[in-house]
Amino acid sequence: VQPDVCERCVRMAKATGNAQPCGNCPHSYDVKVVVTLRVPEPSGGFRLISKSKEIDCALEQQTQTEKQYRRFLPHRASIAESKAFMRCLRAALGLAQGYTMQELRKPFVIAHIVPNLDAPEMRQALISNSLRDMGLLFEQQSAAPAIEAGKPREPAALPEGAAIAGDYTESEYQDPESGYQGAEEYQEPLPWDDPPEPQGIRCADCGRTITETTSRNGRQWTAEAIKNFSEKRFGRCLCPDCQQKAQGGQRR
């Protein structure tokens, strides 16, 4: 915000109609910062705390050396902001700017509110709030059902004809291969039980793995280069031998 010196100058200019030049003013580098915090109260409301810090550069120049003043001048706004913020924190927490050693030896007491969880009304309120928060978190459209104390919740009924995967009775299960019918649970093959696929690039005709080879003119062909050339020339991945066969068939 505007420093107090600038506000007085603006009011004087409005009253007299003559504006003073700021270039020669010794307070042209002054800065003022106001910080406002919203502090929660135990009653559930909030209170606003505003503190300010103004830096008079003319006074700072008199109390510092020329080197110190040049180092201080670019950071004057951040210094004022930090001091104003610390004032707000001390006012919000009820702390003094400093304490003596005798005051620090005294025990500190921090009071906070603890709800009585033994009361049934408090327990019901906590359950309702937790269910509501869960619905807001997972975006449930329907309201959460109320849970009655001491009454177990019955599982939801399945639609007619529906079955749970992996839940087989002795009369329902029958092994498709051996014809055995019993109470053992049918084990579906797991994806990771399948044999691993062979690594590398394989020929589409003979199925052999394509490896790096050397042509007649001494050029080195990698498996990836052979694959790209074959797909571009023949439309599929072929090894060098199958490429010669396919090329001979094209000539005929």
Side-chain angles (χ1 to χ4, degrees):
V1 297
Q2 284 187 350
D4 296 339
V5 177
C6 296
E7 290 183 357
R8 291 195 298 267
C9 189
V10 169
R11 289 197 299 268
M12 184 63 66
K14 290 181 179 180
T16 60
N18 296 323
Q20 298 294 329
C22 297
N24 300 326
C25 180
H27 299 281
S28 57
Y29 292 108
D30 289 3
V31 64
K32 181 180 180 182
V33 177
V34 177
V35 175
T36 303
L37 293 182
R38 191 176 68 163
V39 183
E41 291 288 340
S43 60
F46 294 89
R47 61 188 176 99
L48 297 179
I49 298 178
S50 295
K51 296 294 180 181
S52 63
K53 174 61 181 178
E54 183 175 359
I55 294 181
D56 190 347
C57 292
L59 183 60
E60 295 291 339
Q61 190 175 11
Q62 295 176 3
T63 57
Q64 298 179 7
T65 62
E66 187 66 24
K67 185 178 180 180
Q68 292 175 348
Y69 182 72
R70 289 199 305 267
R71 189 184 306 168
F72 156 80
L73 198 60
H75 306 287
R76 62 190 186 280
S78 59
I79 294 174
E81 181 182 1
S82 301
K83 291 183 178 296
F85 187 69
M86 292 302 296
R87 288 180 176 179
C88 274
L89 287 180
R90 288 196 297 267
L93 300 177
L95 299 176
Q97 187 174 2
Y99 292 93
T100 62
M101 188 59 66
Q102 295 179 355
E103 292 174 342
L104 291 177
R105 289 194 181 100
K106 297 179 181 180
F108 282 83
V109 177
I110 301 176
H112 60 281
I113 300 175
V114 178
N116 184 15
L117 300 180
D118 295 334
E121 297 83 1
M122 183 62 67
R123 288 202 304 268
Q124 187 63 30
L126 292 177
I127 293 174
S128 301
N129 291 336
S130 62
L131 293 176
R132 181 196 60 189
D133 297 339
M134 188 183 302
L136 294 175
L137 179 62
F138 295 100
E139 298 181 357
Q140 296 178 356
Q141 300 296 334
S142 59
I147 301 176
E148 298 181 6
K151 182 178 180 180
R153 185 175 57 181
E154 297 180 357
L158 293 175
E160 185 177 358
I164 302 176
D167 189 6
Y168 300 95
T169 62
E170 187 174 355
S171 59
E172 293 175 351
Y173 171 72
Q174 184 176 2
D175 194 342
E177 296 182 359
S178 62
Y180 171 77
Q181 182 174 352
E184 295 183 3
E185 184 177 346
Y186 177 70
Q187 296 289 339
E188 292 287 346
L190 300 177
W192 50 81
D193 292 339
D194 298 338
E197 296 182 357
Q199 301 295 329
I201 303 175
R202 291 185 171 272
C203 179
D205 289 357
C206 63
R208 293 185 301 175
T209 303
I210 301 176
T211 58
E212 184 177 354
T213 184
T214 304
S215 61
R216 296 178 180 177
N217 56 2
R219 180 180 177 183
Q220 295 290 336
W221 286 81
T222 62
E224 189 68 25
I226 295 174
K227 174 187 175 183
N228 296 336
F229 174 79
S230 177
E231 291 178 349
K232 184 177 180 180
R233 178 71 180 273
F234 304 101
R236 62 186 185 277
C237 181
L238 299 176
C239 63
D241 296 338
C242 294
Q243 289 183 21
Q244 293 180 1
K245 295 178 181 179
Q247 188 173 2
Q250 289 179 358
R251 290 176 180 176
R252 288 194 297 271

